[in-house]
């Protein structure tokens, strides 16, 4: 029995969209962790910002500042790539789980509506099982996606903020400002 067949038995018709959400979330979480982690550990943003500033050292100060700001915004967009999709998956997954709950309860009521004799607990188990499992699956997908999205946003904001401060200090050094008087 394949994994998707098993998931379909357990989660009903929402097995495929929930599996897709789980897979996309896992891919984005892993990829962002590698990219942002590499950028942080290697000090890549600061190194690259020095190269950009040195490449434009002959420009007037306001042009250097504008170049640095545009460059940093571009880097911020690249570092934050995929985070919005992760936020969408964090919102979508529990809604799919809730939809699975409704589908499971509809199955229960359909079974009850067809029954003419005494109601056995086994008649309710299938629909209620789908209802609870899809709810759990949606939440299991949403929690790490939500934590990851917010954590990565905070991480990127911190990286960009510290790089912006570093760039400003380097530009002051290029202007001959003594760093001993600055905090």
């Amino acid at each position: 029995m394949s994994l998707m067949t098993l998931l379909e038995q357990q989660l009903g018709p929402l097995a495929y969209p929930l599996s897709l959400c789980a897979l996309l979330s896992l891919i984005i979480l892993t990829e962002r962790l590698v990219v942002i982690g590499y950028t942080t550990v290697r000090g890549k943003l600061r190194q690259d910002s020095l190269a950009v500033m040195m490449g434009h050292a002959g420009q007037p100060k306001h042009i250097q500042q504008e170049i640095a700001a545009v460059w940093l915004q571009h880097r911020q967009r690249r570092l934050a790539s995929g985070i919005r999709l992760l936020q969408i998956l964090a919102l979508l997954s529990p809604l799919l789980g809730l939809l699975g709950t409704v589908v499971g309860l509809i199955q229960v009521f359909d079974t009850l509506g067809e029954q003419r004799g005494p109601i056995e607990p086994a008649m309710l188990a299938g629909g209620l099982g789908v209802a609870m499992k899809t709810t759990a699956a949606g939440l299991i997908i949403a929690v790490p996606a939500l934590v990851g999205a917010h954590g990565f946003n905070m991480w990127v904001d911190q990286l960009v903020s510290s790089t912006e401060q570093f760039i400003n200090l380097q530009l002051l050094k290029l202007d001959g400002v003594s760093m001993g008087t600055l905090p």
Side-chain angles (χ1 to χ4, degrees):
M1 181 182 302
S2 75
L3 177 62
M4 282 314 295
T5 304
L6 180 63
L7 284 173
E8 196 171 359
Q9 286 176 348
Q10 298 296 312
L11 301 176
L14 291 165
Y16 291 101
L18 284 168
S19 296
L20 181 62
C21 287
L23 181 63
L24 289 174
S25 294
L26 183 61
I27 289 169
I28 294 168
L29 285 167
T30 304
E31 188 266 345
R32 285 294 90 194
L33 184 61
V34 169
V35 168
I36 298 170
Y38 175 79
T39 301
T40 301
V41 169
R42 301 286 293 192
K44 192 97 173 87
L45 231 48
R46 285 187 179 197
Q47 290 173 5
D48 292 351
S49 70
L50 277 175
V52 168
M53 288 186 297
M54 292 303 154
H56 298 91
Q59 299 291 329
K61 183 173 175 110
H62 71 281
I63 298 293
Q64 288 176 342
Q65 290 172 334
E66 192 65 31
I67 289 169
V70 168
W71 177 84
L72 196 54
Q73 285 175 346
H74 174 71
R75 290 300 173 126
Q76 182 174 18
R77 278 193 307 276
R78 285 179 53 193
L79 286 170
S81 173
I83 294 175
R84 187 162 316 265
L85 179 57
L86 197 57
Q87 291 170 330
I88 291 169
L89 292 168
L91 293 171
L92 183 61
S93 298
L95 291 175
L96 289 171
L98 183 59
L99 180 58
T101 301
V102 171
V103 168
L105 291 175
I106 289 170
Q107 288 175 354
V108 168
F109 287 116
D110 284 348
T111 302
L112 291 177
E114 294 170 0
Q115 182 63 26
R116 298 292 172 226
I119 296 172
E120 304 277 330
M123 296 173 180
L124 308 176
L128 291 177
V130 168
M132 295 300 103
K133 289 171 189 167
T134 55
T135 302
L139 293 173
I140 288 168
I141 296 165
V143 170
L146 186 62
V147 170
H150 286 285
F152 289 143
N153 266 333
M154 290 171 32
W155 195 355
V156 168
D157 288 348
Q158 190 277 328
L159 270 174
V160 168
S161 177
S162 68
T163 303
E164 184 176 27
Q165 182 180 8
F166 176 77
I167 289 170
N168 289 335
L169 290 173
Q170 295 309 310
L171 288 172
L172 288 172
K173 278 185 183 178
L174 287 174
D175 283 346
V177 176
S178 169
M179 300 313 294
T181 60
L182 293 175

